[in-house]
Amino acid sequence: MNKINFIFRDSLRGLLKSWKMNVIFVCTLLGAMLLAAYCLSSIRFLQKELESTNFENIDESIEVGFTGNLLSLTDKNNIIQQCEARTASLTARNKMFFPELGGKSYFVIAIDESYERYENISIEEGDMFDPSGDELECVIGQKISMEHHLSVNDYISVSGKSFRITGITAKGQYNKYLVLPYAALSGLNDSEQIQQTFYLTGNKVERTQVQYVLSGIKSTEILYNELSATLYEQNKMTIERWIHIRVMAGTASLLFATFNILAVCFGKIQESRRKCLIKKMLGLTDLGVFLSLFIENLSVILAADLLAYILYFPLINLLDIRNTVLVDKLMFVQMGVLSVILAAVYAVIMGVYLSHCTMAEILREGE
């Protein structure tokens, strides 16, 4: 028991005596962990985003982006009939001002009852609303929920109409968005030109025909008209490029941190040679020396882990990048396990290296 108490007290004294070196060590490791965590979480977000854009029948679907007044059910059926589409779905996106939500502006996504991809909107709490239902319902982003303390079954006002909240999106998805039924958006902004997307699926659907029919509708301007598969490949290339950039940034930061950590570790080894001999002279065994070094280095590394966990979420909220990162606690648990392994390996290296130091070598070094 006395030896155990001595080991812990000695480790604490070692931490306090080498506080400058330990602060440098913690700061270097902390910076590397924060940047690595950002790169890993943003890569996961980009991969998730790519998966959500790939849907069934993408090879025979045409995606048309246009602005104008919301299409009526009659216009939609007319386009489907003329283009010989098997299925079709509409979405609309508009930025709206919400005086009830602190006077802020948020994007509103409206989906119709045949929207094929709405299942890809991940719901963390509650359920997705029924787009064909009679009741005015909506799903809100997680950031909106947190900022305004809104929960499932609460009501939110959109241009004077009250919508019941049926669900809250998962982390990283539509954080600053409200998702409404397409029909409910009609009448909220009649005078505005709203950005819309029309998906038409079928073997006989032709881009030129879709563009011709849509252009015949009053106050409609075509923004783009492409095969969904083509747009998916373009989006895939862009996302893959961003993933490569994140990987290179993460690798560069970890290499830089590794060299700095090695330099700090080398300095700590030189400092510890004399202390190691004194510990042995006081009767501490090789195992005791190892445990003392292990506890000291593990404490420093876990301090960096704890700071990274405490600072990461406030930082991404402060920088307003939560909608571009996908983080869960498992990632920090994994990084914590890696840190323990790092501390153990470092302690073993120091223990093996210092165990070969003789009194003559250490005294010669102090001359």
Side-chain angles (χ1 to χ4, degrees), residues 112-182:
D112 73 352
E113 64 276 5
S114 59
Y115 183 44
E116 294 180 357
R117 299 200 294 180
Y118 85 90
E119 293 89 350
N120 290 319
I121 300 176
S122 300
I123 306 297
E124 184 167 284
E125 185 181 349
D127 299 297
M128 192 67 191
F129 59 81
D130 180 7
S132 60
D134 296 329
E135 187 180 358
L136 294 177
E137 297 175 332
C138 71
V139 163
I140 64 172
Q142 197 172 87
K143 192 173 182 68
I144 298 176
S145 170
M146 290 188 298
E147 283 183 351
H148 303 286
H149 308 291
L150 294 168
S151 304
V152 173
N153 292 323
D154 286 347
Y155 284 83
I156 189 170
S157 179
V158 182
S159 293
K161 291 186 178 181
S162 184
F163 289 78
R164 185 176 70 88
I165 300 170
T166 63
I168 298 169
T169 64
K171 292 180 180 178
Q173 272 214 334
Y174 301 101
N175 268 340
K176 296 182 178 179
Y177 283 70
L178 285 88
V179 186
L180 309 176
Y182 186 89

Side-chain angles (χ1 to χ4, degrees), residues 237-249:
M237 289 177 61
T238 303
I239 289 178
E240 287 177 345
R241 192 177 298 117
W242 276 110
I243 289 176
H244 292 155
I245 292 171
R246 297 286 195 277
V247 169
M248 287 188 290

Side-chain angles (χ1 to χ4, degrees), residues 46-55 58-59 61 63 117 224 226-240:
L46 290 170
Q47 290 173 333
K48 192 92 172 177
E49 187 73 10
L50 185 61
E51 291 172 5
S52 68
T53 59
N54 190 2
F55 59 98
I58 191 172
D59 293 329
S61 295
E63 183 175 329
R117 299 200 294 180
Y224 65 88
E226 290 285 349
L227 286 170
S228 296
T230 303
L231 289 171
Y232 173 76
E233 288 301 321
Q234 292 172 352
N235 190 38
K236 182 180 178 182
M237 289 177 61
T238 303
I239 289 178
E240 287 177 345

Side-chain angles (χ1 to χ4, degrees), residues 43 57 79 87 89-90 107 109-110 163 198 200 315 323 356:
I43 287 170
N57 301 320
I79 294 170
T87 60
S89 57
L90 268 168
F107 276 105
I109 297 180
F163 289 78
F198 207 169
L200 293 104
L315 276 175
N323 60 332
H356 291 86

